[in-house]
Amino acid sequence: MAANAQDRRSAGPVGVGIVGGGFMATVHSRAARAARGRLVGVVSSRPERAVRAAEELGIENAFGSLHDLIADDRVEVVHVTTPNALHAEQALAVIEAGKHVVCEKPLATTVADARTLTDAAASAGVTATVPFVYRFHPLVREARARFASGETGRLLTIAGSYLQDWLLESGDDNWRVDSAAGGRSRAFGDIGSHLVDFIEFVTGDRVSMVAATKRTFFDSRAEHSAITTEDAVAVAVQTSGGAIGTLLVSQAAPGRKNRLHVELAGSAESVVFDQEQPETLWVGRRKGSLLIPRDADQLAPDAARLVTTPGGHPQGYQDAFNAFVADSYAAIAGEAPDGLPRFEDGLRAAAVAEAVMDSADTGTWVEV
């Protein structure tokens, strides 16, 4: 089993293992190092890839298998950064070994598997987190604080989008387009999950009903054919609190790289956050609208604690990821960081994605 909190506080840097050797492994390794983790080992799809990843990322050891990695007593937490279809099996193996786990989203490709992981982590008493890292932009926490304090009033409407262009053309390809590797949903499962998590985290309200339509613009790409996963999806939503809204998710929007944009209209004020311009938060009022900068002196305490550079020196995606991993390691040490996304949140995302896909397939409103 995992070490108790007192033991963890008195120990040295947390021992980190990474599963996977691609882009997300790079992001996780940077964040682990920033959080003063000891990068003990990495395992990849092939031994030679693990060796290369260890060299490139400055990790101490390349392991031949996941079994060997989690059997090493120096490894306390394992970051799972592999293709989606592998998450459930690999994360469960980590949990059953008594290790803490950070698992990339989607947590699993089915709700049943996500629930199995969530229950297993709770039973094992391990810290298990999933990187909904946009929660860790300081101005996202500022927006959340405004809703929690009642400044925004009652949530009325939602206008959200997450747009990318990396799969714009038929020659663009990736393992994610294959449902066997990525799961039933691609665009929504990959980035729409961030959008819904953002909305629910900031407002404290939950999406309760969805009506969706989806499109696959290319059923064949450079290395894949008979593609069924969606390139884009549009969703009408209702919330438990009575708000209504629309969501647009696309991986074929020219010029948009990672444009997560959300406008939340309350009865007293609106807030707008643009992930590609994360240094300001627009607060709209009938009289006297504001543009709030990422300046610790002007922010709520939970937002200010995430400010790591002076105003005018931008923070971005990697900074948010670093903060997420730092809070994950703090939880391993026995602390209780506010807003840390755990496996329960990964399970929630899986349930929303399933409802969206069911709605798109049936053409009806579906309850989440």
Side-chain angles (χ1 to χ4, degrees), residues 105 131-134 162 190-198 260:
K105 53 91 200 126
F132 287 117
V133 298
Y134 300 123
Y162 197 153
D190 185 20
I191 58 177
S193 55
H194 278 298
L195 180 57
V196 173
D197 181 79
F198 179 107
L260 171 66

Side-chain angles (χ1 to χ4, degrees), residues 88-362:
E89 179 182 356
Q90 292 174 339
L92 186 60
V94 173
I95 293 167
E96 290 177 342
K99 312 282 185 175
H100 307 287
V101 59
V102 178
C103 184
E104 262 301 326
K105 53 91 200 126
L107 183 57
T109 56
T110 68
V111 173
D113 283 347
R115 183 174 292 111
T116 295
L117 288 176
T118 303
D119 292 344
S123 297
V126 299
T127 296
T129 64
V130 59
F132 287 117
V133 298
Y134 300 123
R135 295 183 178 196
F136 291 85
H137 283 294
L139 289 175
V140 172
R141 297 296 176 110
E142 175 66 18
R144 182 180 185 233
R146 300 183 81 86
F147 272 93
S149 70
E151 285 183 86
T152 56
R154 179 169 63 94
L155 180 64
L156 302 177
T157 61
I158 300 162
S161 61
Y162 197 153
L163 307 177
Q164 300 175 328
D165 69 358
W166 69 290
L167 289 172
L168 175 62
E169 300 175 354
S170 61
D172 299 323
D173 211 337
N174 183 267
W175 60 261
R176 290 173 176 83
V177 308
D178 182 1
S179 61
R184 178 186 180 193
S185 173
R186 188 217 318 153
F188 196 89
D190 185 20
I191 58 177
S193 55
H194 278 298
L195 180 57
V196 173
D197 181 79
F198 179 107
I199 292 165
E200 295 188 340
F201 177 71
V202 168
T203 66
D205 200 357
R206 284 201 159 190
V207 172
S208 59
M209 296 282 288
V210 296
T213 184
K214 62 181 180 178
R215 293 291 185 273
T216 302
F217 301 127
F218 302 107
D219 59 10
S220 295
R221 291 182 176 270
E223 298 179 3
H224 293 87
S225 58
I227 296 170
T228 60
T229 57
E230 78 282 2
D231 292 307
V233 58
V235 190
V237 299
Q238 301 178 34
T239 73
S240 298
I244 57 173
T246 58
L247 311 178
L248 177 63
V249 176
S250 175
Q251 294 176 323
R256 295 303 188 187
K257 306 306 177 185
N258 272 286
R259 211 234 184 179
L260 171 66
H261 184 278
V262 181
E263 178 160 346
L264 302 165
S267 55
E269 62 183 29
S270 298
V271 296
V272 176
F273 180 79
D274 180 353
Q275 198 274 148
E276 290 189 341
Q277 303 291 332
E279 293 292 285
T280 56
L281 181 75
W282 185 77
V283 177
R285 297 170 178 164
R286 176 172 282 185
K287 296 181 180 180
S289 297
L290 306 172
L291 194 64
I292 300 175
R294 185 196 50 77
D295 177 11
D297 292 338
Q298 302 183 53
L299 303 181
D302 190 43
R305 82 171 180 93
L306 295 174
V307 174
T308 58
T309 63
H313 295 271
Q315 287 181 220
Y317 171 75
Q318 186 69 56
D319 298 288
F321 217 108
N322 293 356
F324 157 70
V325 171
D327 274 7
S328 294
Y329 292 1
I332 289 171
E335 300 177 28
D338 182 46
L340 180 63
R342 299 178 184 265
F343 272 22
E344 291 85 353
D345 300 295
L347 172 59
R348 169 66 182 171
V352 174
E354 181 178 78
V356 168
M357 291 298 102
D358 286 348
S359 174
D361 287 345
T362 61

